[in-house]
Amino acid sequence: MNIELFIEETKKLGINLTQKQLDQLEKYYNLLIDWNKKINLTRITEKEDVYLKHFYDSLTLIKVIDLNKELSLCDIGTGAGFPGIVLKIAFPNLKITLVDSLNKRIIFLNEVIKELDLKNIEAVHARAEDYAKENREKYDIVTSRAVANLRVLSELAMPMVKVDGYFIPMKANVDAEINEAKDIINKLSGKLEHKETFNLPIEESLRNILLIKKINKTNQIYPRRMDKIK
Ligand code: SAM
C-alpha cells in the first residue's frame, strides 16, 4: 500500500491524517527498520507492507469504536507498537499504556515515544497476567493484536477493563476461538456485543475485531496463574 493509497483508505475509515502525523509514521517506519537489524521486531519490512499490514491494520480499530474522545487504552503484547503506537499517532487524545513481556521491545518503544515526541503514553515491561492484577478496572479500552488465543487473552484483559468499557481483540480467524472462550468471557463479566469481519485492502486477508463489553466487575480470582489459565 503506497502512501497515496494509505491516505485514501484511512480517509474511508474516517481518519484524516495531518502532514505532522504522516511524518511521524514515516519516522516510526524508519526507526522500526533500523532497530529491526539489531533486535527482532517484525518480519514485515517492505515499506508498502508495513503501511498496510501494520499501520492501516492497527487503525481499523476505529471500525468498532469512536476513538475521538479522551479514553484510556491498554495494548497488551504490543510488540513493536501495534496497534498502540499507530493509534497514539492518529488519535493523540488517547491515553495509552503499552505492555510487553520482552524488555528489548520496551526499550525500542521508549525510543519511538521520545523521537516522535508522543505525550500521554507509557511503555511497561510486564507480563500481562501480573500487570492485570495490579491494574484492575483501570482502562476504558483494552486491546491486543495477535497475542494469545481468545480464551487466554480474555482472562488477561478483562480484569483491566472499567465497567462499561470494552475489551477489543484484533484477530484473523476467530470463530472457533469464540466458541471456546464463550464460557470464560461470561465468567469474567464480559458480553460479546459485536464481531466486525472484513478484508484488508489489496491482499484481502481476513480480519476480525471483537467488541466485548464489561458489564460488571470481574471476580478477584481472575486472572489466575498462567498454568491454570492454560
Ligand atoms: N501486537 C503486536 C503485533 O500485532 O504486531 C505483537 C504481536 S507478537 C506476535 C506477540 C507479542 O506479545 C510479543 O511482543 C510478546 O513479547 C508479547 N507477549 C506474549 N505473551 C505476553 C504476556 N503474557 N504478557 C505480555 N506480553 C506478552
Side-chain angles (χ1 to χ4, degrees):
M1 171 179 266
N2 63 33
I3 303 283
E4 287 71 32
L5 190 58
F6 174 74
I7 293 170
E8 205 180 303
E9 290 293 333
T10 49
K11 273 191 185 146
K12 285 187 201 162
L13 293 174
I15 304 169
N16 291 301
L17 295 165
T18 61
Q19 191 53 51
K20 180 186 170 193
Q21 289 167 318
L22 291 167
D23 292 345
Q24 284 178 315
L25 286 172
E26 170 98 23
K27 209 166 179 180
Y28 181 24
Y29 171 74
N30 289 330
L31 284 167
L32 181 71
I33 298 309
D34 199 26
W35 279 62
N36 205 38
K37 292 174 191 147
K38 297 173 281 184
I39 62 169
N40 176 20
L41 291 170
T42 178
R43 278 180 292 112
I44 299 165
T45 53
E46 284 298 317
K47 192 167 185 176
E48 296 204 354
D49 291 340
V50 170
Y51 270 73
L52 174 65
K53 295 177 190 168
H54 285 325
F55 293 175
Y56 174 84
D57 191 37
S58 294
L59 293 175
T60 58
L61 196 83
I62 191 75
K63 283 177 179 278
V64 301
I65 194 152
D66 180 10
L67 296 169
N68 295 291
K69 295 179 191 163
E70 273 194 32
L71 299 167
S72 54
L73 180 150
C74 180
D75 179 11
I76 298 178
T78 186
F82 307 119
I85 291 272
V86 187
L87 291 172
K88 181 69 210 181
I89 293 170
F91 302 97
N93 48 290
L94 296 176
K95 189 172 186 290
I96 294 192
T97 304
L98 309 166
V99 177
D100 203 281
S101 54
L102 212 63
N103 198 37
K104 280 181 187 168
R105 296 193 176 133
I106 298 298
I107 294 169
F108 167 71
L109 293 168
N110 278 323
E111 179 73 8
V112 173
I113 290 169
K114 190 178 95 196
E115 286 295 318
L116 270 57
D117 197 24
L118 301 174
K119 308 287 183 217
N120 269 325
I121 181 165
E122 58 173 349
V124 179
H125 175 220
R127 295 201 64 82
E129 52 274 34
D130 302 327
Y131 187 78
K133 280 200 196 94
E134 288 144 29
N135 294 275
R136 306 187 75 82
E137 271 96 32
K138 181 171 169 181
Y139 296 98
D140 296 303
I141 298 170
V142 177
T143 188
S144 187
R145 191 186 78 155
V147 176
N149 77 52
L150 188 61
R151 190 177 55 78
V152 173
L153 198 57
S154 296
E155 186 158 343
L156 306 180
M158 286 299 295
M160 287 192 247
V161 182
K162 286 182 190 170
V163 174
D164 289 333
Y166 289 94
F167 166 43
I168 315 182
M170 306 176 86
K171 295 246 159 207
N173 286 312
V174 80
D175 287 349
E177 288 188 28
I178 291 177
N179 270 333
E180 198 195 80
K182 259 186 196 151
D183 231 37
I184 187 76
I185 289 174
N186 199 12
K187 286 183 180 148
L188 293 160
S189 303
K191 182 172 176 267
L192 176 58
E193 277 196 348
H194 179 67
K195 178 178 72 146
E196 180 80 18
T197 303
F198 57 98
N199 297 95
L200 274 190
I202 305 168
E203 53 136 44
E204 305 245 302
S205 58
L206 178 73
R207 291 289 184 275
N208 281 289
I209 304 180
L210 304 181
L211 193 61
I212 300 171
K213 185 164 184 170
K214 173 127 153 193
I215 50 178
N216 227 320
K217 279 198 167 187
T218 300
N219 191 314
Q220 293 278 345
I221 62 165
Y222 301 113
R224 294 163 294 171
R225 286 200 333 258
M226 191 47 108
D227 54 337
K228 281 250 172 177
I229 299 176
K230 282 189 168 156

